[in-house]
Amino acid sequence: MQYGPYEIIRNAISLFVTKIFHPNARLIRYPCYLRNSKNILINKGFTCGYNCRIESIQTDNKYGTIRFGENVKIGDSVHIASADSVEIGNNVLIASHVFISDLDHGTYNGNNQTSPETNPDDRKIFSKPIQIGNNVWVGENVVILKGVNIGDGCIIGANSVVTKDVEKNCIVAGVPATIIKRFNYQTCKWENINKFNNTEFHHFKK
């Protein structure tokens, strides 16, 4: 990829700042907001685009943690928020404008649901860990919500909203995201789910 003079200058400044404050990272393009950075683990080879917001949030005297594996690359304007735990594996590629959050303001299922008359900013925070496996590709404008586990080798289609666990080596898309293809190791092809015996995929090991 070739950069223009302005981009070369911006990258050079960002690289200088990155090596001072986050020596493990490859390149953090600034501006980038890291809130409570002591709870954010950035590993070798980490690269991120401009205007990213990665934040550890305090609830009940506890801070959320965010851990990136090796060689994670994220695009511009990615927002990752944790009040519990967000873990991202190795060699994960995240496109721009992605939102990953392990928390909700209020609860809207079961007993003791939150009243709509309560100021949203004053509603109790409910959180549940998120785990994203290795070699996962997350497309543009994806939303990943609390409690989700995404298996190794998955592809999350652009504009998808992921609300439940995703088996390894699957392609999901839609709102809410559903499985549209799985990788078949016998044929070495991504195949539509109706080509598989569904009984083989009842269990997903986290």
Side-chain angles (χ1 to χ4, degrees):
M1 180 181 295
Q2 293 183 341
Y3 297 110
Y6 177 67
E7 185 72 8
I8 290 173
I9 293 171
R10 290 188 71 182
N11 280 340
I13 294 171
S14 292
L15 181 61
F16 177 75
V17 177
T18 298
K19 295 308 177 183
I20 291 176
F21 294 103
H22 302 283
N24 283 336
R26 179 175 175 267
L27 177 63
I28 298 175
R29 293 179 173 88
Y30 291 89
C32 178
Y33 175 50
L34 300 176
R35 181 181 180 185
N36 298 317
S37 60
K38 65 182 179 180
N39 304 303
I40 301 169
L41 176 61
I42 293 176
N43 230 314
K44 182 175 67 175
F46 178 82
T47 303
C48 79
Y50 298 110
N51 302 309
C52 291
R53 180 178 176 183
I54 303 171
E55 53 183 338
S56 163
I57 296 171
Q58 181 182 16
T59 56
D60 300 326
N61 298 318
K62 173 190 173 184
Y63 286 91
T65 59
I66 300 171
R67 296 181 176 87
F68 295 97
E70 295 185 356
N71 302 314
V72 173
K73 297 180 180 180
I74 67 178
D76 298 331
S77 302
V78 170
H79 183 189
I80 302 174
S82 174
D84 194 316
S85 173
V86 174
E87 295 194 8
I88 298 174
N90 300 324
N91 307 311
V92 172
L93 179 62
I94 299 175
S96 297
H97 307 286
V98 169
F99 177 57
I100 301 172
S101 175
D102 70 6
L103 62 111
D104 282 334
H105 286 263
T107 183
Y108 308 97
N109 295 294
N111 298 323
N112 302 316
Q113 296 185 27
T114 303
S115 169
E117 297 180 358
T118 304
N119 182 339
D121 196 40
D122 294 333
R123 296 175 189 179
K124 182 179 178 180
I125 289 178
F126 292 84
S127 61
K128 193 174 181 181
I130 290 174
Q131 186 167 1
I132 299 174
N134 301 320
N135 302 313
V136 172
W137 176 18
V138 180
E140 195 98 355
N141 297 314
V142 164
V143 174
I144 299 174
L145 299 179
K146 75 178 193 303
V148 165
N149 292 274
I150 298 175
D152 295 345
C154 286
I155 300 172
I156 313 300
N159 301 305
S160 298
V161 178
V162 186
T163 61
K164 60 183 179 180
D165 291 354
V166 181
E167 301 170 11
K168 66 180 182 179
N169 304 324
C170 287
I171 299 175
V172 299
V175 181
T178 57
I179 297 173
I180 59 174
K181 288 189 174 186
R182 291 187 178 94
F183 189 75
N184 186 328
Y185 279 97
Q186 293 180 339
T187 64
C188 293
K189 293 181 179 180
W190 294 94
E191 298 182 349
N192 294 330
I193 58 172
N194 58 9
K195 291 186 178 182
F196 286 83
N197 179 354
N198 291 332
T199 61
E200 296 177 2
F201 297 97
H202 285 326
H203 301 289
F204 169 48
K205 294 182 180 180
K206 299 178 181 178

